[in-house]
Amino acid sequence: MHSSSKIKQNTFADDVMRGLSATPKFLSSKYFYDNEGSRLFQEIMKLPEYYLTRAEFEVFSRQTDEIFSAFNADNSPFDLIELGAGDGTKTSFLVSYFLKQNADFTYVPIDISAEALNTLTAKFEKEFPQLLMQTEKGDYFKTLETLSTKSSKRKIILFLGSNIGNFRQKQAQEFFRELRAVMNKDDLLFIGFDLQKDPQTILDAYSDKQGVTAAFNINLLKRINRELGANFDPKEFSHYAIYHPIEGAARSFLISQKKQTVFIKSLNKNFDFEAWEPIFMEISQKYSLKMIAELAKESGFQIEKNFFDSKNYYTDSLWKPV
Ligand SMILES: C[S@@+](CC[C@H](N)C(=O)[O-])C[C@H]1O[C@@H](n2cnc3c(N)ncnc32)[C@H](O)[C@@H]1O
């Protein structure tokens, strides 16, 4: 389970050791985003099957003024803190509008991926030379600890792109409780939830025809080869995704195509794979409105407003501490 203190001690090598020694084997999806992974994720966002980015973009582009009014009701200065900002494409739409309205804010994107932050910084510095920006590279579990002491200004925390879907439901509740503990009464939390819908639509988003999602998953094996001196043969693993409609969760796996042994030099250890043995890579939890309401309540928030796209595929939910 995620706790900021536990996460702090873990390195990439520790987590790979733990995941590949477990039964069933797993790897943490937070390591997807090296340079190539971040580039592949940008491609995923453009895929016809990956409706999530378009749905959230539609919310931001059609309801910009309503979002701005909800964020800026009292005109007081704020820090716009984004957890797992990625390349910030969608957020740039909000930032652009806020600047035009002369809002007094500093944008604080936090991401574990240097590549994502570099892309974001280059783009934002070029497009918005007047923007006050303070980027932070790191794990957002760690930054939780410093969030409350960062500045005395109001905090508006963005957690977009269905990042929350990568947590199991209990972890999500724990994460929001930790966030709540470092937030003040007039702070706000804005979260992108992918909603439950036709299971086939969801499954297609994690199993695209062009195989970009497959390449995105396989890339983590290549990262282990490069950074930890392993000898994974990426051709001997295939990507497989499922959606479980009762749990409302999509899951991605890499499947070993044969009985094989992989050596990881940094860990000085062999890992045996049976033929057809899966490595669990990622969960993408989909939410109902009832689940969102319960999650808010259980973690100490009330829902101010849910913003929807025109197909009701997705909601950006604005929460206020109770
Ligand atoms: C699914 S992408 C979404 C990016 C962006 N929020 C969007 O909506 O387009 C997830 C992003 O979160 C970052 N990330 C994942 N786990 C993280 C962690 N524990 N700490 C900081 N960043 C993390 C990844 O590097 C990646 O850029």
Side-chain angles (χ1 to χ4, degrees):
M1 197 158 291
H2 287 300
S3 90
S4 40
S5 51
K6 259 187 219 158
I7 293 282
K8 219 197 272 182
Q9 294 148 15
N10 285 358
T11 62
F12 183 37
D14 292 336
D15 285 339
V16 169
M17 177 72 155
R18 196 165 59 96
L20 295 184
S21 306
T23 313
K25 292 181 172 64
F26 67 91
L27 289 168
S28 168
S29 59
K30 77 174 175 191
Y31 295 115
F32 278 157
Y33 301 90
D34 64 350
N35 287 359
E36 181 61 4
S38 294
R39 193 192 65 73
L40 285 166
F41 188 69
Q42 288 178 12
E43 273 189 44
I44 288 175
M45 290 195 290
K46 293 181 204 144
L47 290 170
E49 294 95 337
Y50 200 77
Y51 59 83
L52 292 87
T53 308
R54 278 187 300 280
E56 190 162 57
F57 188 74
E58 190 201 302
V59 172
F60 286 8
S61 53
R62 294 209 184 155
Q63 300 174 70
T64 334
D65 193 51
E66 288 86 342
I67 295 171
F68 177 67
S69 303
F71 282 8
N72 203 35
D74 67 357
N75 263 321
S76 63
F78 59 91
D79 284 331
L80 188 65
I81 302 166
E82 179 159 13
L83 308 180
D87 72 355
T89 303
K90 282 167 293 170
T91 313
S92 71
F93 202 86
L94 294 183
V95 163
S96 165
Y97 190 84
F98 292 4
L99 288 172
K100 279 188 198 127
Q101 304 302 314
N102 291 318
D104 182 357
F105 71 104
T106 302
Y107 178 49
V108 186
I110 300 170
D111 205 290
I112 202 169
S113 159
E115 159 76 3
L117 278 183
N118 290 341
T119 309
L120 182 149
T121 309
K123 193 161 59 189
F124 278 51
E125 281 179 351
K126 186 160 171 259
E127 274 181 44
F128 314 119
Q130 73 279 39
L131 175 68
L132 298 172
M133 189 160 67
Q134 237 176 283
T135 52
E136 271 187 40
K137 185 182 168 304
D139 193 316
Y140 43 63
F141 288 100
K142 286 186 200 166
T143 54
L144 281 184
E145 290 160 14
T146 54
L147 217 53
S148 56
T149 50
K150 203 176 282 302
S151 89
S152 55
K153 282 192 271 176
R154 209 156 60 84
K155 290 185 282 298
I156 300 180
I157 301 173
L158 308 178
F159 197 41
L160 307 175
S162 183
N163 278 2
I164 191 60
N166 297 142
F167 294 37
R168 288 192 172 77
Q169 286 178 67
K170 261 207 112 55
Q171 291 172 338
Q173 193 197 90
E174 206 177 285
F175 180 65
F176 287 138
R177 279 193 182 155
E178 284 185 33
L179 259 186
R180 171 66 191 90
V182 294
M183 288 173 69
N184 297 315
K185 284 269 177 204
D186 54 354
D187 294 341
L188 291 168
L189 178 57
F190 195 50
I191 313 149
F193 288 97
D194 193 18
L195 296 174
Q196 293 182 5
K197 60 185 69 61
D198 182 345
Q200 192 61 51
T201 306
I202 294 173
L203 183 59
D204 290 349
Y206 295 92
S207 209
D208 67 278
K209 288 207 186 76
Q210 294 174 48
V212 185
T213 315
F216 179 65
N217 278 262
I218 292 283
N219 179 59
L220 182 44
L221 302 186
K222 294 184 182 168
R223 179 176 186 182
I224 297 173
N225 281 351
R226 206 178 47 249
E227 294 186 21
L228 303 180
N231 62 354
F232 274 106
D233 181 350
K235 290 192 299 301
E236 298 298 350
F237 289 83
S238 66
H239 172 249
Y240 181 70
I242 55 166
Y243 176 70
H244 192 306
I246 295 177
E247 291 177 4
R251 283 188 167 76
S252 299
F253 303 88
L254 287 178
I255 310 286
S256 175
Q257 296 296 293
K258 62 174 191 188
K259 189 173 169 66
Q260 54 186 317
T261 299
V262 172
F263 179 65
I264 305 186
K265 201 169 165 203
S266 301
L267 305 177
N268 193 24
K269 196 169 154 50
N270 280 318
F271 295 90
D272 295 324
F273 292 82
E274 294 300 326
W276 313 120
E277 184 178 346
I279 312 174
F280 171 48
M281 304 296 283
E282 184 175 52
I283 183 168
S284 302
Q285 180 69 48
K286 308 302 164 192
Y287 280 82
S288 66
L289 292 178
K290 188 162 169 259
M291 285 161 73
I292 296 173
E294 277 168 12
L295 186 57
K297 193 164 168 230
E298 283 161 4
S299 38
F301 292 91
Q302 71 184 41
I303 299 177
E304 285 281 284
K305 187 170 175 181
N306 286 327
F307 298 84
F308 296 93
D309 66 304
S310 54
K311 290 183 175 155
N312 286 330
Y313 272 9
Y314 196 93
T315 187
D316 283 293
S317 192
L318 185 65
W319 293 9
K320 200 174 159 37
V322 180

